[in-house]
Amino acid sequence: MKNLFKMVALTGFVAATGLQSCKPKDTSNAVSGDAGIKAYVAPGKYDEVYNFVSGGFSGQMSVYGLPSGRLLRVIPVFSVDPEKGWGYSEETKPMLNTSHGMVPWDDLHHVQLSKTNGEYDGKWVFGNANNTPRVARIDLTTFRTQEIIELPNSGGNHSSPFITENTEYVVAGTRFSVPMDDANGDVAIDTYKENFKGTLSFISVGKEDGKMDIAFQIQCPGVNFDLSRAGKGVSNGWFFFSCYNTEQANTLLEVNASQKDKDFVMAVNWKKAEEYIKAGKGRKQAVKYAHNTYSEKTHTATSEIKTEVLVLDSKELKDICYFIPCPKSPHGCDVSPTGEYIVASGKLAAVIPVFSYDKMLKAIAAKSFDGEFEGIPVIKYESALYGEVKKPGLGPLHTEFDADGNAYTSMFVSSEVVKWNIKDLKVIDRQPTYYSIGHLCVVGGDTKKPTGKYLIAYNKITKDRYLPTGPELSQSAQLFDISGEKMKLILDFPTIGEPHYAQAVLASVIKDKSVKMFKIEENAHPYAAKGEKETKVVREGNKVHVYMTAIRSHLTPDNIEGIKMGDEVYFHVTNLEQDWDVPHGFAIKGADNAELLIMPGETQTLKWVPTKVGISPMYCTDFCSALHQEMTGYVRVSPAGSNVPLKFGTGITKPEVAAASK
Amino acid sequence: MDSTEKNIGIISKGILVIAGALLVISLFNPIWRIELDAPQYPEGLALTIHANKIGGDVEIINGLNHYIGMKTLHADEFIEFTILPYIISAFALACLLVILINKKKALYLLFGAFVLFGIIAMVDFWRWEYNYGHNLDPNAAIIVPGMAYQPPLIGFKQLLNFGAYSIPDIGGWLFIASGLLMATAVFIVYKKQKK
C-alpha cells in the first residue's frame, strides 16, 4: 500500500516536471543575440523605411520609422485633434463634414500607398473610415489630409481603400449591407434578404492632383464585404473582395453567419464595368454625400454636398461579378506579386485556399458554375482552385509577399506568422507573435515588386509585453527580419490607437519630397496678414476679425480692446516665419474649442466667444524661441453695449525701463 | 634699349586675357560667404556677398539678429553694391587695355591698383562687419555685457550659439586667382627685364 502511494506520487512528480518542459517557449527564446543591432538606428541617423500605420479607433494614421520603431508623426484624419486644431480651426472644420453633419471621429482600418505600375510612387496615402463610410487622401509632401469623400449606399466602409495598380480607382465595399439610400429605409430589420444591398464603390483618383470622385458603384446582394485587393500584372482589370455572412443573417452573426461551409470571394471585372458605363448602362441615383477638400494655397477646406451617383446592377449586368466559394467566413483576400494567385483566408478554416486567376478565367469561359447566388454565377471551387496550404495554423487572416516567391500569413488564433511558398504551398517557417496577430505588413508587400527585408506584425493583445499602465494598454507591433530562411523577431514597439493594416515603403521614395514650410507670398487665405503692416482688427456687427501675425517672439496685435460680450471673435493668425520647423501656437483663455498650431507661412483661424467681462490672456503654445514665454498678449472684454473703442497694437509704447537705459 | 624690352611678352598677354576673363566670371558668382552654424541649425545658414547684392538666408539671419539688436541687412543701404560691379568690370577692361598698350609700366600699374583695391575692399568689409557687430539696439532682448557680434574678416569665430565662418566664395577665389595671374605676368616680365 505504501509502495503504491510512493509510485503514484512519483508518477505525479515526473508528469509535472515533464509537462513543465513541454510548455511553449517564451520571448526570451524567440529573440536571438543580434536582434538589438538589427533594430538599432543611431541617434541622428534616419530609418530605412516609413511605416504608415492605421490608427483604428483613434481615427488617425501614424507614421513610424523602421527598423527603429520610432514614432515620427500622427496624422489627424477622421478624428478631431485639439493639439493641432484639426477639426476645431475654422479652416479644418469642413474636412469632417458629412451628410450627417460634422462627424468628429471615425475608425480608420486600412492604409494604401498610391501606386504607379504596381509599385509605390510616394504621392499619397489613403485611409478608410469604417463607421461613417469615407475615404481620405493624405498628401505625402505635407503629411496632411487633403481630401475626404463620403460614400452613399454604404453601411460600414471596411474593404477599403484598396487601389488598382496605377491608382485608377480606390475601392470601398460596404461591410454592413443596408437598404439603398433612395429606397425607404424604414423597414423591419429581418427583411434583410429582401431590402438590404451591398455596394462596391469605385472612386477615381486624378493622376496629377489626386482628386477623388465616385466614378460608379456596383449594387450587389446583401452580404458583408470584408477585405479586397486589386488584381495586378496579369489580373489587372479585376478586383477581388472577400464576403462573409452569405447566410444573410441580421442578428447574432457570430453564430448565424458561421453556418455555411463556404462563403465567397467575389471577383469583379472593373474594366467590363467601365465598358457598361460607356454604353450608358448605369442608373443615376439621387443620394447625398459630402466631398471635402483642403487647399494648401488658401490653407482652407471646403465641403460640397453631392447629390448623384452612378450605379450598376450586378444582377442585370451578368459578366461583371462572379463568386468563388471560399471556406468559412473569409477575411483577407490577397493577390500575389505576379497577380496570378489570390490567397483567401477563411477565419475559421483549416486550410488556406489559393485561387488561380488563369483557372478562374477558364472556368468562366467554360461556364464551370455551381448555380447562382442572388443572380450572380458561382464558379466551382475546384475549377478556380490552384491548391490549398495544408495545416497552416489556426485562424488565418492576412497575407503579404516577399521578393522571393514566399507568402506570409498571420494566424490570429494560434498567434503566429507562417511563411510558405507560393508555388508548392509548403510551409517553410512559423514564428510566434505576442499576442494574436491581426494584420501584417512586409515592406512593399502588396506591390508587384516587394522589397522584403522586414515584416511587421500588428498584434491585438498586449498583456505583459510592456510595463503595466492600468487596464488600458497600448497595442503592440513586432518587427521581424525576414531576410533569411527563418524569420527573426528583432523588436517590439507600442503603437497609437489600434492598428489594423499598415504599409511600409523605402524612405527614399518619400523623404526628399517633404515640404519644409509654406511660402508666405503664395498664401491666398482671405484673412491672411502677410506682414505686420497688414494686421488689423475689423468689426462687422458682432463679428470681430483679428488679422494677427506671429513671428519670434511676438503676436501682432498683442493688445486688443473694445471686444464686448456677445461678440464672436475670429483670430486669423498668420505665421510669418519662413524658416524650417518654426511653428507658432495660439491659445486664449476660456476658448471652448482648442488651440491652433500654425506652420510657417500658413494662416489658421480660432473662433472665440468670450464668456466673461475682464482681461483674457493669449499666448503662443509652441516653444518657438528663447523669448517664447514673452510671446503673449491681452484681450480686454467689456460688457455688451459698452462704448470702449476698438484699439489694438503691439509695442506702441516701449517699456519704461528701456527708455531709462538710453 | 630694344623696344621689345619695354613690351609685354605673348605669354604674359595670354595670362592677362585669362585674368580679365576670371574677373568677368566673378561678377556672376558670390564673392564672399559667411556660414553660420548653431545647434538648432544643423542644415546651416549662409550669407553670400555678391558684387551687386546680398544673398543666402538673409531673412532668417535678420530675424535671428533682432534678439541681439543688430540692424537688419538690406542691400540698398550699401553703396558698395552699386559701384563694385563697375570697379570689377573696369579691372577686366584694364587687363585688355594693358595688352593693347603693351607697356610693362602699364602692367605694373594695373597690378598695383588691383592689390590696392583688394586691400581697400577688405578694409571696407571689416568696417561694415564692425558697424553691424557693434551698433546694437540698447533695447535688444539679449544684451551680454561687453559682447560684440562682429563676424571674423576671414576664418572662424564663435558668436553666442552661432559659429561664424567667413571665407571667399567662388567669385572671391576667382578674384584671388586673377590677382595671382597678374602677379605671374608681372614676375615673367620682370625676370625678362633683368636678363
Side-chain angles (χ1 to χ4, degrees), chain A residues 155-193:
Chain A
N157 174 30
H158 195 264
S159 53
S160 177
F162 298 97
I163 61 173
T164 53
E165 70 174 34
N166 285 301
T167 320
E168 294 96 337
Y169 295 108
V170 172
V171 304
T174 185
R175 173 174 164 202
F176 308 110
S177 284
V178 285
M180 297 295 272
D181 285 2
D182 62 344
N184 174 24
D186 184 12
V187 293
I189 298 171
D190 62 10
T191 61
Y192 185 106
K193 283 184 194 185

Side-chain angles (χ1 to χ4, degrees), chain A residues 552-554 578-580 582 625-627 654 658-659 661-662, chain B residues 41-43 45 59-60 63-64 66-67 137-139 141-142:
Chain A
R552 284 165 289 176
S553 306
H554 56 275
Q578 289 291 278
D579 196 358
W580 186 22
V582 193
S625 66
L627 297 173
K654 285 199 170 172
S661 73
K662 264 189 176 171
Chain B
Y41 281 89
E43 73 276 23
L45 294 172
E59 287 310 313
I60 295 175
L64 292 168
H66 95 276
Y67 289 113
D137 181 352
N139 287 322
I142 301 170

